[in-house]
C-alpha cells in the first residue's frame, strides 16, 4: 500500500514546514531507506533526501529528513517561493519492492 | 555526469504492448540498479520495477504479470515492456538510476493508451 502523506501543506516565506510520510513496520519503520523528491510542474522529480537523513550534493541545507517509528518527515526551513512544488516520499519494503507516498503539494503563501 | 534519455511520446492501442528504452550516457550501465517509475496524469508516482547489473529483476506485485524490465549492456540501455495495456496504463513513464532511492531521472515519456 502507498505511504500516507498530507495532501497539502503551506507556509509563508521564511517559515519552516514539515511534511510527514507514514507507513508500517514493513516499510518506513523497518529500514533506513526513506527518500524524498521535489517535483515542479512539468518536470521530473529531483532527489532531495536519501536514506532518511542524507542530503545529496547540491541540495540546500534548508532541507532535512528524519524518522521516528513508522513515520518519516521532511523539514524545510527558511521557506522560499522556489520551494513551492509537489513532494513525494518513498521507502524500501519487506517484499524487496519500493513504495511511494501519495504526494504533498507545498504552497508558499 | 550520468544522464538518462527517454524516447518521445507514444500512442499505444488497448491490448497491445508498450515498449520503452532508456539510454544512459556519461557513465556505465554496468553498475547500480536501473528502475522504471510512472505517473498517471495529475496523480502520484508508482514504482514499476528494476533490473540489476546481473540482469535480475524485481517488480511491483500489482504489475508483475504484465511487466518485463531488461538490460542491454552493449548499448548502455535498459528497457521496459508492459503487455495487454489499458487506459489505466496511460502515464508519464520515467527511467531512473537506483534501487531504493533514485537519481538521476530521465525527462519522462508520455504514453497514451487509446484506440
Amino acid at each position: 500500500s502507498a505511504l500516507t502523506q498530507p495532501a497539502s501543506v503551506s507556509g509563508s516565506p521564511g517559515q519552516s514546514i514539515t511534511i510527514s510520510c507514514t507507513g508500517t513496520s514493513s516499510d518506513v519503520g523497518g529500514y533506513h531507506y526513506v527518500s524524498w523528491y521535489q517535483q515542479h510542474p512539468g518536470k521530473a522529480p529531483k532527489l532531495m533526501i536519501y536514506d532518511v537523513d542524507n542530503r545529496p550534493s547540491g541540495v540546500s541545507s534548508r532541507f532535512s529528513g528524519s524518522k521516528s517509528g513508522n513515520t518519516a518527515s521532511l523539514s524545510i526551513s527558511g521557506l522560499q517561493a522556489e520551494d513551492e512544488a509537489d513532494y513525494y516520499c518513498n521507502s524500501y519494503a519487506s517484499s524487496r519492492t519500493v513504495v511511494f507516498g501519495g504526494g504533498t503539494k507545498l504552497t508558499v503563501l | 555526469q550520468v544522464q538518462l534519455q527517454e524516447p518521445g511520446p507514444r500512442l499505444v492501442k488497448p491490448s497491445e504492448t508498450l515498449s520503452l528504452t532508456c539510454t544512459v550516457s556519461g557513465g556505465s550501465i554496468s553498475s547500480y540498479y536501473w528502475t522504471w517509475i510512472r505517473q498517471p496524469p495529475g496523480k502520484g508516482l508508482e514504482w514499476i520495477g528494476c533490473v540489476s547489473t546481473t540482469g535480475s529483476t524485481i517488480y511491483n506485485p500489482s504489475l508483475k504479470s504484465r511487466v518485463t524490465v531488461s538490460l542491454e549492456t552493449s548499448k548502455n540501455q535498459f528497457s521496459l515492456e508492459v503487455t495487454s495495456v489499458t487506459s489505466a496504463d496511460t502515464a508519464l513513464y520515467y527511467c531512473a538510476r537506483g534501487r531504493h532511492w533514485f537519481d538521476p531521472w530521465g525527462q519522462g515519456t508520455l504514453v497514451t493508451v487509446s484506440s
Side-chain angles (χ1 to χ4, degrees):
Chain A
S1 299
L3 306 176
T4 300
Q5 296 182 233
S8 63
V9 298
S10 63
S12 300
Q15 288 186 333
S16 297
I17 63 97
T18 297
I19 300 172
S20 62
C21 171
T22 301
T24 69
S25 57
S26 295
D27 39 62
V28 173
Y31 306 93
H32 205 72
Y33 294 148
V34 176
S35 53
W36 290 89
Y37 305 84
Q38 176 191 66
Q39 186 179 35
H40 286 112
K43 300 293 187 181
K46 174 187 176 184
L47 179 68
M48 305 301 285
I49 296 288
Y50 67 95
D51 293 350
V52 175
D53 54 8
N54 290 279
R55 204 169 42 248
S57 174
V59 172
S60 172
S61 59
R62 298 185 299 106
F63 292 83
S64 62
S66 63
K67 191 184 81 164
S68 176
N70 296 337
T71 298
S73 298
L74 173 71
S75 296
I76 310 174
S77 61
L79 211 54
Q80 299 179 1
E82 67 206 49
D83 299 332
E84 185 163 295
D86 292 328
Y87 290 84
Y88 293 92
C89 63
N90 83 259
S91 174
Y92 180 80
S94 59
S95 52
R96 298 176 65 219
T97 60
V98 169
V99 62
F100 277 95
T104 297
K105 182 177 180 60
L106 170 61
T107 301
V108 180
L109 302 171
Chain B
Q1 73 271 18
V2 172
Q3 293 185 321
L4 279 63
Q5 184 68 38
E6 303 179 59
R10 298 288 171 89
L11 178 63
V12 184
K13 290 182 168 55
S15 80
E16 294 189 342
T17 296
L18 175 173
S19 298
L20 297 175
T21 295
C22 183
T23 301
V24 180
S25 61
S28 173
I29 203 169
S30 298
S31 302
Y32 299 98
Y33 277 77
W34 303 92
T35 293
W36 288 96
I37 295 160
R38 71 181 184 179
Q39 184 173 34
K43 296 187 178 181
L45 300 168
E46 180 181 33
W47 180 80
I48 298 172
C50 64
V51 60
S52 75
T53 55
T54 63
S56 65
T57 53
I58 308 167
Y59 299 125
N60 185 324
S62 69
L63 299 169
K64 186 175 183 178
S65 63
R66 299 193 295 123
V67 166
T68 302
V69 179
S70 58
L71 209 58
E72 299 176 57
T73 306
S74 62
K75 297 181 181 179
N76 233 37
Q77 294 175 333
F78 64 107
S79 299
L80 169 71
E81 281 197 350
V82 182
T83 61
S84 304
V85 298
T86 70
S87 59
D89 296 308
T90 292
L92 200 52
Y93 284 75
Y94 291 103
C95 59
R97 182 182 67 176
R99 174 69 180 91
H100 56 267
W101 53 265
F102 310 110
D103 181 62
W105 295 57
Q107 80 279 14
T109 294
L110 180 61
V111 175
T112 303
V113 179
S114 174
S115 56

PDB file of all heavy atoms in Angstrom, chain A residues 37-66:
ATOM      1  N   TYR A  37      11.540  13.454  -2.712  1.00  0.00           N
ATOM      2  CA  TYR A  37      11.700  14.055  -4.032  1.00  0.00           C
ATOM      3  C   TYR A  37      10.856  15.324  -4.133  1.00  0.00           C
ATOM      4  O   TYR A  37       9.744  15.379  -3.594  1.00  0.00           O
ATOM      5  CB  TYR A  37      11.271  13.076  -5.138  1.00  0.00           C
ATOM      6  CG  TYR A  37      12.014  11.783  -5.027  1.00  0.00           C
ATOM      7  CD1 TYR A  37      11.571  10.787  -4.174  1.00  0.00           C
ATOM      8  CD2 TYR A  37      13.197  11.569  -5.724  1.00  0.00           C
ATOM      9  CE1 TYR A  37      12.273   9.604  -4.016  1.00  0.00           C
ATOM     10  CE2 TYR A  37      13.911  10.393  -5.573  1.00  0.00           C
ATOM     11  CZ  TYR A  37      13.440   9.416  -4.708  1.00  0.00           C
ATOM     12  OH  TYR A  37      14.163   8.266  -4.552  1.00  0.00           O
ATOM     13  N   GLN A  38      11.405  16.305  -4.845  1.00  0.00           N
ATOM     14  CA  GLN A  38      10.700  17.544  -5.163  1.00  0.00           C
ATOM     15  C   GLN A  38      10.343  17.515  -6.641  1.00  0.00           C
ATOM     16  O   GLN A  38      11.193  17.197  -7.476  1.00  0.00           O
ATOM     17  CB  GLN A  38      11.624  18.729  -4.880  1.00  0.00           C
ATOM     18  CG  GLN A  38      11.059  20.084  -5.244  1.00  0.00           C
ATOM     19  CD  GLN A  38      12.153  21.157  -5.174  1.00  0.00           C
ATOM     20  OE1 GLN A  38      13.104  21.149  -5.957  1.00  0.00           O
ATOM     21  NE2 GLN A  38      12.031  22.079  -4.241  1.00  0.00           N
ATOM     22  N   GLN A  39       9.098  17.837  -6.966  1.00  0.00           N
ATOM     23  CA  GLN A  39       8.687  17.852  -8.364  1.00  0.00           C
ATOM     24  C   GLN A  39       7.955  19.155  -8.690  1.00  0.00           C
ATOM     25  O   GLN A  39       6.874  19.411  -8.183  1.00  0.00           O
ATOM     26  CB  GLN A  39       7.785  16.660  -8.697  1.00  0.00           C
ATOM     27  CG  GLN A  39       7.460  16.575 -10.188  1.00  0.00           C
ATOM     28  CD  GLN A  39       6.589  15.386 -10.540  1.00  0.00           C
ATOM     29  OE1 GLN A  39       5.716  14.991  -9.776  1.00  0.00           O
ATOM     30  NE2 GLN A  39       6.822  14.807 -11.713  1.00  0.00           N
ATOM     31  N   HIS A  40       8.572  19.958  -9.552  1.00  0.00           N
ATOM     32  CA  HIS A  40       7.917  21.153 -10.056  1.00  0.00           C
ATOM     33  C   HIS A  40       7.055  20.778 -11.253  1.00  0.00           C
ATOM     34  O   HIS A  40       7.333  19.775 -11.935  1.00  0.00           O
ATOM     35  CB  HIS A  40       8.943  22.212 -10.444  1.00  0.00           C
ATOM     36  CG  HIS A  40       9.588  22.881  -9.270  1.00  0.00           C
ATOM     37  ND1 HIS A  40      10.921  22.721  -8.947  1.00  0.00           N
ATOM     38  CD2 HIS A  40       9.076  23.706  -8.320  1.00  0.00           C
ATOM     39  CE1 HIS A  40      11.200  23.412  -7.867  1.00  0.00           C
ATOM     40  NE2 HIS A  40      10.093  24.024  -7.457  1.00  0.00           N
ATOM     41  N   PRO A  41       6.007  21.557 -11.553  1.00  0.00           N
ATOM     42  CA  PRO A  41       5.103  21.228 -12.663  1.00  0.00           C
ATOM     43  C   PRO A  41       5.839  21.027 -13.975  1.00  0.00           C
ATOM     44  O   PRO A  41       6.696  21.835 -14.356  1.00  0.00           O
ATOM     45  CB  PRO A  41       4.188  22.462 -12.734  1.00  0.00           C
ATOM     46  CG  PRO A  41       4.193  23.000 -11.351  1.00  0.00           C
ATOM     47  CD  PRO A  41       5.576  22.765 -10.830  1.00  0.00           C
ATOM     48  N   GLY A  42       5.540  19.908 -14.638  1.00  0.00           N
ATOM     49  CA  GLY A  42       6.143  19.613 -15.926  1.00  0.00           C
ATOM     50  C   GLY A  42       7.580  19.138 -15.873  1.00  0.00           C
ATOM     51  O   GLY A  42       8.206  18.975 -16.918  1.00  0.00           O
ATOM     52  N   LYS A  43       8.092  18.906 -14.673  1.00  0.00           N
ATOM     53  CA  LYS A  43       9.492  18.479 -14.524  1.00  0.00           C
ATOM     54  C   LYS A  43       9.568  17.091 -13.908  1.00  0.00           C
ATOM     55  O   LYS A  43       8.631  16.626 -13.258  1.00  0.00           O
ATOM     56  CB  LYS A  43      10.259  19.464 -13.632  1.00  0.00           C
ATOM     57  CG  LYS A  43      10.298  20.881 -14.176  1.00  0.00           C
ATOM     58  CD  LYS A  43      11.115  20.961 -15.447  1.00  0.00           C
ATOM     59  CE  LYS A  43      11.294  22.397 -15.895  1.00  0.00           C
ATOM     60  NZ  LYS A  43      12.067  22.493 -17.160  1.00  0.00           N
ATOM     61  N   ALA A  44      10.715  16.439 -14.103  1.00  0.00           N
ATOM     62  CA  ALA A  44      10.950  15.155 -13.456  1.00  0.00           C
ATOM     63  C   ALA A  44      11.246  15.388 -11.971  1.00  0.00           C
ATOM     64  O   ALA A  44      11.735  16.453 -11.584  1.00  0.00           O
ATOM     65  CB  ALA A  44      12.143  14.447 -14.109  1.00  0.00           C
ATOM     66  N   PRO A  45      10.935  14.418 -11.133  1.00  0.00           N
ATOM     67  CA  PRO A  45      11.265  14.536  -9.706  1.00  0.00           C
ATOM     68  C   PRO A  45      12.763  14.704  -9.493  1.00  0.00           C
ATOM     69  O   PRO A  45      13.574  14.198 -10.273  1.00  0.00           O
ATOM     70  CB  PRO A  45      10.769  13.212  -9.121  1.00  0.00           C
ATOM     71  CG  PRO A  45       9.675  12.786 -10.041  1.00  0.00           C
ATOM     72  CD  PRO A  45      10.158  13.198 -11.401  1.00  0.00           C
ATOM     73  N   LYS A  46      13.114  15.400  -8.403  1.00  0.00           N
ATOM     74  CA  LYS A  46      14.510  15.631  -8.032  1.00  0.00           C
ATOM     75  C   LYS A  46      14.734  15.081  -6.633  1.00  0.00           C
ATOM     76  O   LYS A  46      13.962  15.381  -5.717  1.00  0.00           O
ATOM     77  CB  LYS A  46      14.822  17.127  -8.050  1.00  0.00           C
ATOM     78  CG  LYS A  46      16.205  17.487  -7.542  1.00  0.00           C
ATOM     79  CD  LYS A  46      16.370  19.007  -7.419  1.00  0.00           C
ATOM     80  CE  LYS A  46      17.721  19.365  -6.808  1.00  0.00           C
ATOM     81  NZ  LYS A  46      17.865  20.834  -6.583  1.00  0.00           N
ATOM     82  N   LEU A  47      15.789  14.286  -6.477  1.00  0.00           N
ATOM     83  CA  LEU A  47      16.116  13.712  -5.168  1.00  0.00           C
ATOM     84  C   LEU A  47      16.566  14.803  -4.213  1.00  0.00           C
ATOM     85  O   LEU A  47      17.484  15.556  -4.515  1.00  0.00           O
ATOM     86  CB  LEU A  47      17.229  12.673  -5.325  1.00  0.00           C
ATOM     87  CG  LEU A  47      17.721  11.995  -4.048  1.00  0.00           C
ATOM     88  CD1 LEU A  47      16.640  11.094  -3.452  1.00  0.00           C
ATOM     89  CD2 LEU A  47      18.989  11.199  -4.322  1.00  0.00           C
ATOM     90  N   MET A  48      15.918  14.864  -3.036  1.00  0.00           N
ATOM     91  CA  MET A  48      16.262  15.879  -2.040  1.00  0.00           C
ATOM     92  C   MET A  48      16.902  15.269  -0.795  1.00  0.00           C
ATOM     93  O   MET A  48      17.760  15.893  -0.162  1.00  0.00           O
ATOM     94  CB  MET A  48      14.997  16.654  -1.634  1.00  0.00           C
ATOM     95  CG  MET A  48      14.241  17.282  -2.788  1.00  0.00           C
ATOM     96  SD  MET A  48      15.234  18.436  -3.734  1.00  0.00           S
ATOM     97  CE  MET A  48      15.272  19.839  -2.638  1.00  0.00           C
ATOM     98  N   ILE A  49      16.438  14.077  -0.397  1.00  0.00           N
ATOM     99  CA  ILE A  49      16.941  13.386   0.787  1.00  0.00           C
ATOM    100  C   ILE A  49      16.968  11.885   0.476  1.00  0.00           C
ATOM    101  O   ILE A  49      16.032  11.359  -0.134  1.00  0.00           O
ATOM    102  CB  ILE A  49      16.038  13.609   2.019  1.00  0.00           C
ATOM    103  CG1 ILE A  49      16.011  15.081   2.430  1.00  0.00           C
ATOM    104  CG2 ILE A  49      16.471  12.713   3.193  1.00  0.00           C
ATOM    105  CD1 ILE A  49      17.306  15.592   3.071  1.00  0.00           C
ATOM    106  N   TYR A  50      18.042  11.188   0.884  1.00  0.00           N
ATOM    107  CA  TYR A  50      18.074   9.736   0.740  1.00  0.00           C
ATOM    108  C   TYR A  50      18.504   9.080   2.038  1.00  0.00           C
ATOM    109  O   TYR A  50      19.162   9.709   2.869  1.00  0.00           O
ATOM    110  CB  TYR A  50      18.982   9.316  -0.429  1.00  0.00           C
ATOM    111  CG  TYR A  50      20.449   9.597  -0.210  1.00  0.00           C
ATOM    112  CD1 TYR A  50      21.306   8.626   0.286  1.00  0.00           C
ATOM    113  CD2 TYR A  50      20.991  10.850  -0.517  1.00  0.00           C
ATOM    114  CE1 TYR A  50      22.660   8.884   0.480  1.00  0.00           C
ATOM    115  CE2 TYR A  50      22.333  11.121  -0.325  1.00  0.00           C
ATOM    116  CZ  TYR A  50      23.156  10.133   0.183  1.00  0.00           C
ATOM    117  OH  TYR A  50      24.500  10.406   0.366  1.00  0.00           O
ATOM    118  N   ASP A  51      18.116   7.824   2.196  1.00  0.00           N
ATOM    119  CA  ASP A  51      18.440   7.065   3.411  1.00  0.00           C
ATOM    120  C   ASP A  51      18.107   7.870   4.666  1.00  0.00           C
ATOM    121  O   ASP A  51      18.941   8.038   5.564  1.00  0.00           O
ATOM    122  CB  ASP A  51      19.913   6.635   3.392  1.00  0.00           C
ATOM    123  CG  ASP A  51      20.198   5.616   2.307  1.00  0.00           C
ATOM    124  OD1 ASP A  51      19.228   5.108   1.701  1.00  0.00           O
ATOM    125  OD2 ASP A  51      21.374   5.331   2.055  1.00  0.00           O
ATOM    126  N   VAL A  52      16.883   8.363   4.696  1.00  0.00           N
ATOM    127  CA  VAL A  52      16.245   9.082   5.818  1.00  0.00           C
ATOM    128  C   VAL A  52      16.753  10.497   6.004  1.00  0.00           C
ATOM    129  O   VAL A  52      15.941  11.432   6.077  1.00  0.00           O
ATOM    130  CB  VAL A  52      16.395   8.305   7.158  1.00  0.00           C
ATOM    131  CG1 VAL A  52      15.844   9.131   8.325  1.00  0.00           C
ATOM    132  CG2 VAL A  52      15.689   6.958   7.082  1.00  0.00           C
ATOM    133  N   ASP A  53      18.071  10.676   6.136  1.00  0.00           N
ATOM    134  CA  ASP A  53      18.572  11.974   6.563  1.00  0.00           C
ATOM    135  C   ASP A  53      19.821  12.438   5.835  1.00  0.00           C
ATOM    136  O   ASP A  53      20.561  13.285   6.357  1.00  0.00           O
ATOM    137  CB  ASP A  53      18.831  11.961   8.074  1.00  0.00           C
ATOM    138  CG  ASP A  53      19.756  10.819   8.493  1.00  0.00           C
ATOM    139  OD1 ASP A  53      20.319  10.133   7.612  1.00  0.00           O
ATOM    140  OD2 ASP A  53      19.905  10.609   9.712  1.00  0.00           O
ATOM    141  N   ASN A  54      20.061  11.888   4.658  1.00  0.00           N
ATOM    142  CA  ASN A  54      21.235  12.288   3.880  1.00  0.00           C
ATOM    143  C   ASN A  54      20.836  13.213   2.732  1.00  0.00           C
ATOM    144  O   ASN A  54      19.870  12.949   2.016  1.00  0.00           O
ATOM    145  CB  ASN A  54      21.941  11.056   3.317  1.00  0.00           C
ATOM    146  CG  ASN A  54      22.611  10.257   4.409  1.00  0.00           C
ATOM    147  OD1 ASN A  54      23.703  10.578   4.856  1.00  0.00           O
ATOM    148  ND2 ASN A  54      21.936   9.214   4.869  1.00  0.00           N
ATOM    149  N   ARG A  55      21.606  14.260   2.563  1.00  0.00           N
ATOM    150  CA  ARG A  55      21.321  15.269   1.535  1.00  0.00           C
ATOM    151  C   ARG A  55      22.323  15.132   0.400  1.00  0.00           C
ATOM    152  O   ARG A  55      23.536  15.183   0.635  1.00  0.00           O
ATOM    153  CB  ARG A  55      21.409  16.661   2.160  1.00  0.00           C
ATOM    154  CG  ARG A  55      20.650  17.744   1.478  1.00  0.00           C
ATOM    155  CD  ARG A  55      20.583  19.026   2.315  1.00  0.00           C
ATOM    156  NE  ARG A  55      21.831  19.336   2.940  1.00  0.00           N
ATOM    157  CZ  ARG A  55      22.038  19.286   4.253  1.00  0.00           C
ATOM    158  NH1 ARG A  55      21.051  18.938   5.060  1.00  0.00           N
ATOM    159  NH2 ARG A  55      23.220  19.598   4.751  1.00  0.00           N
ATOM    160  N   PRO A  56      21.838  14.938  -0.843  1.00  0.00           N
ATOM    161  CA  PRO A  56      22.771  14.856  -1.983  1.00  0.00           C
ATOM    162  C   PRO A  56      23.520  16.171  -2.165  1.00  0.00           C
ATOM    163  O   PRO A  56      23.038  17.241  -1.761  1.00  0.00           O
ATOM    164  CB  PRO A  56      21.849  14.592  -3.176  1.00  0.00           C
ATOM    165  CG  PRO A  56      20.571  14.112  -2.596  1.00  0.00           C
ATOM    166  CD  PRO A  56      20.443  14.774  -1.267  1.00  0.00           C
ATOM    167  N   SER A  57      24.673  16.066  -2.776  1.00  0.00           N
ATOM    168  CA  SER A  57      25.442  17.260  -3.098  1.00  0.00           C
ATOM    169  C   SER A  57      24.594  18.213  -3.943  1.00  0.00           C
ATOM    170  O   SER A  57      23.934  17.792  -4.890  1.00  0.00           O
ATOM    171  CB  SER A  57      26.698  16.864  -3.862  1.00  0.00           C
ATOM    172  OG  SER A  57      27.393  17.989  -4.314  1.00  0.00           O
ATOM    173  N   GLY A  58      24.607  19.482  -3.579  1.00  0.00           N
ATOM    174  CA  GLY A  58      23.875  20.479  -4.349  1.00  0.00           C
ATOM    175  C   GLY A  58      22.497  20.813  -3.804  1.00  0.00           C
ATOM    176  O   GLY A  58      21.891  21.800  -4.226  1.00  0.00           O
ATOM    177  N   VAL A  59      21.990  20.011  -2.895  1.00  0.00           N
ATOM    178  CA  VAL A  59      20.688  20.285  -2.285  1.00  0.00           C
ATOM    179  C   VAL A  59      20.885  21.204  -1.078  1.00  0.00           C
ATOM    180  O   VAL A  59      21.764  20.975  -0.245  1.00  0.00           O
ATOM    181  CB  VAL A  59      19.985  18.984  -1.860  1.00  0.00           C
ATOM    182  CG1 VAL A  59      18.722  19.289  -1.042  1.00  0.00           C
ATOM    183  CG2 VAL A  59      19.628  18.154  -3.085  1.00  0.00           C
ATOM    184  N   SER A  60      20.067  22.234  -0.989  1.00  0.00           N
ATOM    185  CA  SER A  60      20.182  23.218   0.078  1.00  0.00           C
ATOM    186  C   SER A  60      20.097  22.578   1.461  1.00  0.00           C
ATOM    187  O   SER A  60      19.316  21.645   1.695  1.00  0.00           O
ATOM    188  CB  SER A  60      19.081  24.266  -0.071  1.00  0.00           C
ATOM    189  OG  SER A  60      19.043  25.124   1.051  1.00  0.00           O
ATOM    190  N   SER A  61      20.893  23.116   2.385  1.00  0.00           N
ATOM    191  CA  SER A  61      20.870  22.634   3.769  1.00  0.00           C
ATOM    192  C   SER A  61      19.575  23.017   4.490  1.00  0.00           C
ATOM    193  O   SER A  61      19.351  22.610   5.636  1.00  0.00           O
ATOM    194  CB  SER A  61      22.080  23.202   4.528  1.00  0.00           C
ATOM    195  OG  SER A  61      22.051  24.621   4.509  1.00  0.00           O
ATOM    196  N   ARG A  62      18.714  23.766   3.813  1.00  0.00           N
ATOM    197  CA  ARG A  62      17.403  24.084   4.392  1.00  0.00           C
ATOM    198  C   ARG A  62      16.491  22.858   4.412  1.00  0.00           C
ATOM    199  O   ARG A  62      15.476  22.841   5.103  1.00  0.00           O
ATOM    200  CB  ARG A  62      16.729  25.209   3.598  1.00  0.00           C
ATOM    201  CG  ARG A  62      17.478  26.520   3.603  1.00  0.00           C
ATOM    202  CD  ARG A  62      16.704  27.636   2.895  1.00  0.00           C
ATOM    203  NE  ARG A  62      16.444  27.358   1.490  1.00  0.00           N
ATOM    204  CZ  ARG A  62      15.270  27.011   1.007  1.00  0.00           C
ATOM    205  NH1 ARG A  62      14.209  26.878   1.825  1.00  0.00           N
ATOM    206  NH2 ARG A  62      15.116  26.800  -0.296  1.00  0.00           N
ATOM    207  N   PHE A  63      16.880  21.838   3.648  1.00  0.00           N
ATOM    208  CA  PHE A  63      16.107  20.604   3.582  1.00  0.00           C
ATOM    209  C   PHE A  63      16.743  19.558   4.501  1.00  0.00           C
ATOM    210  O   PHE A  63      17.951  19.328   4.450  1.00  0.00           O
ATOM    211  CB  PHE A  63      16.054  20.059   2.154  1.00  0.00           C
ATOM    212  CG  PHE A  63      15.247  20.915   1.216  1.00  0.00           C
ATOM    213  CD1 PHE A  63      15.814  22.035   0.616  1.00  0.00           C
ATOM    214  CD2 PHE A  63      13.934  20.602   0.937  1.00  0.00           C
ATOM    215  CE1 PHE A  63      15.075  22.829  -0.248  1.00  0.00           C
ATOM    216  CE2 PHE A  63      13.183  21.383   0.067  1.00  0.00           C
ATOM    217  CZ  PHE A  63      13.755  22.502  -0.517  1.00  0.00           C
ATOM    218  N   SER A  64      15.925  18.919   5.336  1.00  0.00           N
ATOM    219  CA  SER A  64      16.435  17.872   6.216  1.00  0.00           C
ATOM    220  C   SER A  64      15.383  16.790   6.391  1.00  0.00           C
ATOM    221  O   SER A  64      14.186  17.031   6.221  1.00  0.00           O
ATOM    222  CB  SER A  64      16.841  18.448   7.576  1.00  0.00           C
ATOM    223  OG  SER A  64      15.715  19.002   8.231  1.00  0.00           O
ATOM    224  N   GLY A  65      15.863  15.582   6.703  1.00  0.00           N
ATOM    225  CA  GLY A  65      14.967  14.449   6.879  1.00  0.00           C
ATOM    226  C   GLY A  65      15.186  13.769   8.214  1.00  0.00           C
ATOM    227  O   GLY A  65      16.273  13.842   8.791  1.00  0.00           O
ATOM    228  N   SER A  66      14.138  13.088   8.687  1.00  0.00           N
ATOM    229  CA  SER A  66      14.229  12.352   9.937  1.00  0.00           C
ATOM    230  C   SER A  66      13.199  11.234   9.927  1.00  0.00           C
ATOM    231  O   SER A  66      12.366  11.146   9.013  1.00  0.00           O
ATOM    232  CB  SER A  66      14.000  13.282  11.140  1.00  0.00           C
ATOM    233  OG  SER A  66      12.681  13.818  11.086  1.00  0.00           O
TER     234      SER A  66
END
